[in-house]
Amino acid sequence: MFDEIQFDKIKRLPKYVFAAINEIKLEMRRNNEDVIDFSMGNPDGITPAHIIDKLCEAAQKPKNHGYSASRGIYKLRLAICNWYKRKYNVDLDPELEACAVMGSKEGYVHLVQAIANFGDSAVVAEPVYPIHYYAFIIVGANVTKFGLKWNDRFELDEDDYFENLKRSLRETMPKPKFVVVNFPHNPTTVVVKKSFYERLVALAKEERFYIISDIAYADLTFDGYSTPSILEVEGAKEVAVESYTLSKSYNMAGWRVGFVVGNPKLVGALQKIKSWIDYGMYAPIQVAATIALDGPQECVEEIKGKYEKRMDVLIKSFSEAGWEMDKPQASMFIWAKLPECAQGLGSLEFSKRLLREAKVAVSPGVGFGEHGEGYVRIALIENEKRIRQAARNIKQFLKTLQNTKEA
């Protein structure tokens, strides 16, 4: 019906690679098969009690049930700025330089809608969290990609990054207006030092582009690593914004609370487009989010500790099963090379077979772009007992693969 009416934006979006895994997973669960699921970064823990208590208290007040503020209530924006001051010693104006959003993904997409014109160019490094790329595609902009390089501690090769970025700036037409960075990185877990942002801010001022930095996993760090903020760099607010989410650090994924801060021109554009699109989050959620940011932070350390313990158990048990992988310094993921006996399968086929034969779900690296091939992303969302069970299943699966390869 109405074949002459085409949806060009939707046609630019490919089939979601992860859909193949999700379809198999759904079919198996319909057949009452027990799938050990490491495929999505969906926190399995409950939100800390003091945050839930504040939500319940705020929900009892009639005034909190009407429309809210699209950019976030003032106290939440103030709490966002206080959080940055405590964590990074960065001063922000809650009126001009902070905007609360319905999760960092929504905030990022609306920001791109507000600032990117049809035909504009942006640059992202690959592997890439898909929306970091496709938000620009949806608005009719174009994206230049290049591959990330890192060492065995998942530390970014800065020199290689800037060599590729400078080449992209020279060779892309029209010249890129935006560069997207995401460290700790999803999916690879790659981390950076403050020196990276110092070089990036200097280059942005020289080449005249804006930076969008996503630090969704900033709090989930291990072995002494501490995530820097681009806004710590002198003059960064002239060229950059940064997004953060409460989803991971506070186990608030379903609450959909995040924020974008920094450059007042970009934040102002986001605030304006949101004023046309939405009426803001449910007010009691915003009140509770204020308590999350301003209140006791021991819960964040507990959540971080849970992920690190799971990480250690998974790396040890999977290694004993025949699948070696390196420990990251940050995030709730492990970016793992395919086992040697599975190198010829490719990440998607390996992930399908792992799911069907070992009942273990992971995300194929190719779903994050061609530079993700040869890897899978493992989310630390199953408990230690389930992790050890997965390792036992994987051990048998890898034996079968090895025997087939040798036959």
Side-chain angles (χ1 to χ4, degrees):
M1 184 181 291
F2 307 145
D3 289 341
E4 74 278 13
I5 300 176
Q6 298 293 314
F7 308 138
D8 292 341
K9 288 182 180 179
I10 298 302
K11 288 169 70 175
R12 293 192 77 188
L13 296 175
K15 183 177 179 182
Y16 209 45
V17 174
F18 305 119
I21 300 299
N22 290 335
E23 287 167 7
I24 297 170
K25 191 167 57 177
L26 182 60
E27 179 186 353
M28 292 176 69
R29 284 177 171 161
R30 282 174 178 164
N31 293 329
N32 294 318
E33 295 185 69
D34 181 25
V35 175
I36 303 173
D37 193 357
F38 301 110
S39 63
M40 184 180 179
N42 187 13
D44 63 314
I46 190 170
T47 304
H50 69 284
I51 302 173
I52 297 174
D53 290 344
K54 194 64 181 180
L55 171 70
C56 295
E57 176 190 320
Q60 299 301 317
K61 298 179 180 180
K63 68 176 184 179
N64 287 333
H65 291 266
Y67 292 128
S68 188
S70 61
R71 61 176 177 159
I73 61 175
Y74 177 76
K75 285 187 177 180
L76 177 54
R77 286 182 280 117
L78 183 61
I80 290 164
C81 297
N82 290 340
W83 185 87
Y84 256 90
K85 182 64 176 178
R86 290 195 312 272
K87 191 171 181 67
Y88 294 116
N89 197 30
V90 170
D91 293 307
L92 292 166
D93 183 337
E95 293 291 344
L96 303 176
E97 297 174 336
C99 182
V101 295
M102 298 175 186
S104 60
K105 188 174 184 180
E106 174 272 327
Y108 176 81
V109 172
H110 280 158
L111 174 67
V112 171
Q113 286 181 334
I115 65 178
N117 304 319
F118 184 87
D120 278 353
S121 293
V123 181
V124 302
E126 200 184 76
V128 59
Y129 180 52
I131 199 62
H132 286 161
Y133 176 87
Y134 283 105
F136 286 97
I137 300 300
I138 290 169
V139 299
N142 302 300
V143 186
T144 297
K145 297 179 287 184
F146 61 83
L148 281 180
K149 286 187 178 179
W150 59 86
N151 62 21
D152 60 3
R153 287 178 48 78
F154 293 98
E155 294 166 333
L156 180 69
D157 184 332
E158 283 190 26
D159 291 338
D160 181 79
Y161 179 93
F162 283 103
E163 181 181 330
N164 280 293
L165 177 55
K166 289 176 181 178
R167 184 176 66 249
S168 298
L169 293 171
R170 286 196 310 269
E171 298 178 357
T172 302
M173 293 296 292
K175 186 176 179 179
K177 294 180 180 179
F178 310 102
V179 172
V180 180
V181 292
N182 165 217
F183 300 107
H185 190 251
N186 181 9
T188 69
T189 79
V190 167
V191 296
V192 296
K193 300 174 183 176
K194 185 180 174 182
S195 61
F196 168 79
Y197 292 127
E198 291 170 341
R199 293 175 68 175
L200 187 60
V201 167
L203 184 63
K205 291 181 178 181
E206 178 184 336
E207 296 290 346
R208 301 183 67 80
F209 61 80
Y210 284 114
I211 304 160
I212 305 173
S213 169
D214 177 359
I215 58 167
Y217 300 92
D219 291 320
L220 305 182
T221 58
F222 319 109
D223 297 334
Y225 177 74
S226 180
T227 301
S229 163
I230 193 170
L231 299 180
E232 292 179 280
V233 177
E234 186 176 354
K237 284 196 287 185
E238 298 170 25
V239 297
V241 289
E242 193 157 68
S243 66
Y244 176 82
T245 174
L246 278 67
S247 295
K248 311 306 189 298
S249 304
Y250 300 92
N251 277 349
M252 293 174 66
W255 297 53
R256 310 311 305 133
V257 185
F259 53 79
V260 176
V261 297
N263 180 270
K265 181 178 179 180
L266 301 189
V267 171
L270 174 60
Q271 291 178 341
K272 185 169 184 178
I273 200 168
K274 280 178 64 63
S275 72
W276 283 93
I277 291 173
D278 70 70
Y279 288 108
M281 291 170 278
Y282 181 47
I285 287 179
Q286 296 192 58
V287 173
T290 301
I291 294 302
L293 294 171
D294 275 345
Q297 300 298 300
E298 290 83 2
C299 57
V300 177
E301 292 301 312
E302 291 173 6
I303 291 167
K304 181 172 76 170
K306 177 187 71 175
Y307 285 124
E308 184 168 27
K309 189 172 183 182
R310 289 179 178 182
M311 184 179 296
D312 291 339
V313 169
L314 191 146
I315 290 173
K316 183 176 185 293
S317 60
F318 279 33
S319 174
E320 291 169 351
W323 190 357
E324 298 285 344
M325 52 193 68
D326 295 319
K327 182 179 178 179
Q329 295 187 61
S331 90
M332 59 183 292
F333 302 116
I334 293 174
W335 185 241
K337 285 184 180 180
L338 299 189
E340 188 174 343
C341 62
Q343 295 283 316
L345 292 178
S347 62
L348 181 56
E349 183 60 26
F350 171 79
S351 298
K352 288 179 179 179
R353 289 193 59 180
L354 184 69
L355 180 51
R356 288 195 179 105
E357 299 174 39
K359 300 184 181 180
V360 174
V362 297
S363 293
V366 72
F368 302 97
E370 62 182 25
H371 289 91
E373 186 53 273
Y375 292 83
V376 297
R377 191 193 71 178
I378 301 170
L380 299 165
I381 55 170
E382 293 275 15
N383 64 41
E384 293 144 49
K385 181 180 177 181
R386 301 273 287 169
I387 289 170
R388 293 188 178 97
Q389 179 60 56
R392 290 191 289 271
N393 295 2
I394 288 169
K395 185 174 184 178
Q396 185 58 48
F397 169 68
L398 294 180
K399 280 184 181 179
T400 302
L401 273 186
Q402 187 63 45
N403 291 338
T404 303
K405 188 176 180 181
E406 292 172 354

